[in-house]
């Protein structure tokens, strides 16, 4: 996993905490579908329903503030449960009896931590540049982790910008290919017209 290719997005909203039979569980959404978010001052972004449908089947970790040294859950062990519903990416974390887990539980109870986030790599996207600001629609991702975050922020805009540049380059390439094809057709038609003229002149 190359960290330079990982983007992070956050959702600020209520993180529900439940304590039942000694098990403490945090529940919330790391992402919500079809909500436009401004990424830096460069482009807007939304996540399409179904973007996580394949990704949540992987071995995903739950972290504190995207720190790989602060693991608080994992899908493989069943202490992290991810699901995609009509709202977005739903997260349920069974909080461990560790320093990070206990601190996080207290901070959520106090309302100091109220955001969830996810680290991902885009595998399918579309861009719409018909408006004043480009709009990126994320259609599928590779999911690496979800996090409880104290300071939700939209990060790694440079990766999104590189993606936009690539989409524009692909568009330019397609236009160049189309123009080249039109030129080839015009040249063939011109040669055909010259041959017809030559045949007519010989006949006369």
């Amino acid at each position: 996993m190359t960290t330079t290719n990982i983007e992070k997005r956050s959702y600020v909203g209520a993180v529900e905490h439940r304590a039942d039979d000694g098990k403490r569980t945090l529940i919330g959404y790391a992402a919500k579908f079809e909500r436009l978010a401004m990424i830096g001052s460069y482009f807007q972004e939304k996540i399409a329903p179904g973007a996580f449908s394949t990704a949540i089947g992987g071995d995903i970790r739950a972290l504190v503030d995207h720190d790989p040294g602060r693991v608080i859950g994992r899908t493989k062990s069943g202490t992290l449960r991810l699901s995609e519903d009509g709202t977005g990416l739903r997260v349920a974390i069974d909080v461990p009896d560790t320093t990070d887990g206990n601190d996080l539980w207290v901070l959520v109870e106090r309302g100091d931590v109220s955001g969830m986030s996810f680290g991902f790599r885009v595998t399918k996207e579309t861009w719409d540049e018909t408006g004043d600001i480009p709009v990126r629609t994320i259609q599928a991702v590779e999911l690496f982790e979800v996090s409880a975050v104290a300071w939700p922020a939209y990060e790694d805009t440079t990766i999104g910008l590189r993606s936009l540049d690539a989409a524009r380059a692909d568009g330019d390439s397609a236009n160049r290919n189309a123009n080249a094809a039109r030129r080839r057709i015009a040249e063939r038609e011109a040669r055909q017209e010259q041959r017809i003229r030559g045949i007519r002149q010989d006949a006369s």
Side-chain angles (χ1 to χ4, degrees):
M1 181 175 66
T2 56
T3 56
T4 55
N5 289 329
I6 297 178
E7 297 183 63
K8 301 178 183 71
R9 298 291 185 267
S10 302
Y11 173 71
V12 182
V15 178
E16 182 181 351
H17 58 289
R18 299 176 182 172
D20 185 26
D21 294 331
K23 184 170 73 173
R24 303 174 301 179
T25 304
L26 297 181
I27 299 171
Y29 284 92
K32 291 200 171 184
F33 297 136
E34 299 293 353
R35 293 199 175 190
L36 277 175
M38 194 71 198
I39 308 300
S41 58
Y42 306 104
F43 61 91
Q44 290 181 306
E45 183 179 86
K46 63 180 178 178
I47 302 171
F52 301 99
S53 58
T54 301
I56 57 178
D59 185 14
I60 316 300
R61 271 73 165 177
L63 309 176
V64 178
D65 281 331
H66 299 290
D67 186 341
R70 304 174 69 188
V71 178
I72 54 173
R74 184 176 180 180
T75 54
K76 186 176 181 179
S77 66
T79 54
L80 166 64
R81 294 173 297 282
L82 301 172
S83 60
E84 191 182 77
D85 59 20
T87 301
L89 178 60
R90 188 175 185 272
V91 178
I93 306 168
D94 294 335
V95 179
D97 184 16
T98 62
T99 299
D100 284 327
N102 294 332
D103 288 349
L104 177 61
W105 185 259
V106 172
L107 291 172
V108 170
E109 280 189 318
R110 284 161 45 104
D112 298 337
V113 170
S114 60
M116 285 194 170
S117 182
F118 64 103
F120 66 102
R121 183 175 65 84
V122 175
T123 57
K124 186 178 180 181
E125 63 184 6
T126 59
W127 288 90
D128 181 359
E129 293 193 74
T130 57
D132 294 334
I133 300 174
V135 177
R136 179 198 207 188
T137 300
I138 296 176
Q139 298 174 312
V141 303
E142 181 181 3
L143 186 63
F144 299 112
E145 50 90 3
V146 295
S147 287
V149 289
W151 190 261
Y154 290 99
E155 302 178 30
D156 301 318
T157 58
T158 54
I159 297 175
L161 287 173
R162 287 201 300 270
S163 180
L164 175 57
D165 289 341
R168 286 171 171 168
D170 288 343
D172 290 343
S173 177
N175 290 334
R176 286 194 298 271
N177 291 338
N179 290 335
R182 283 192 290 269
R183 284 196 299 270
R184 287 194 296 271
I185 292 171
E187 289 168 357
R188 283 198 299 269
E189 290 175 346
R191 286 195 296 270
Q192 182 68 16
E193 181 65 26
Q194 287 176 347
R195 283 195 293 270
I196 293 172
R197 288 198 192 108
I199 292 171
R200 288 174 177 169
Q201 288 173 354
D202 292 341
S204 63

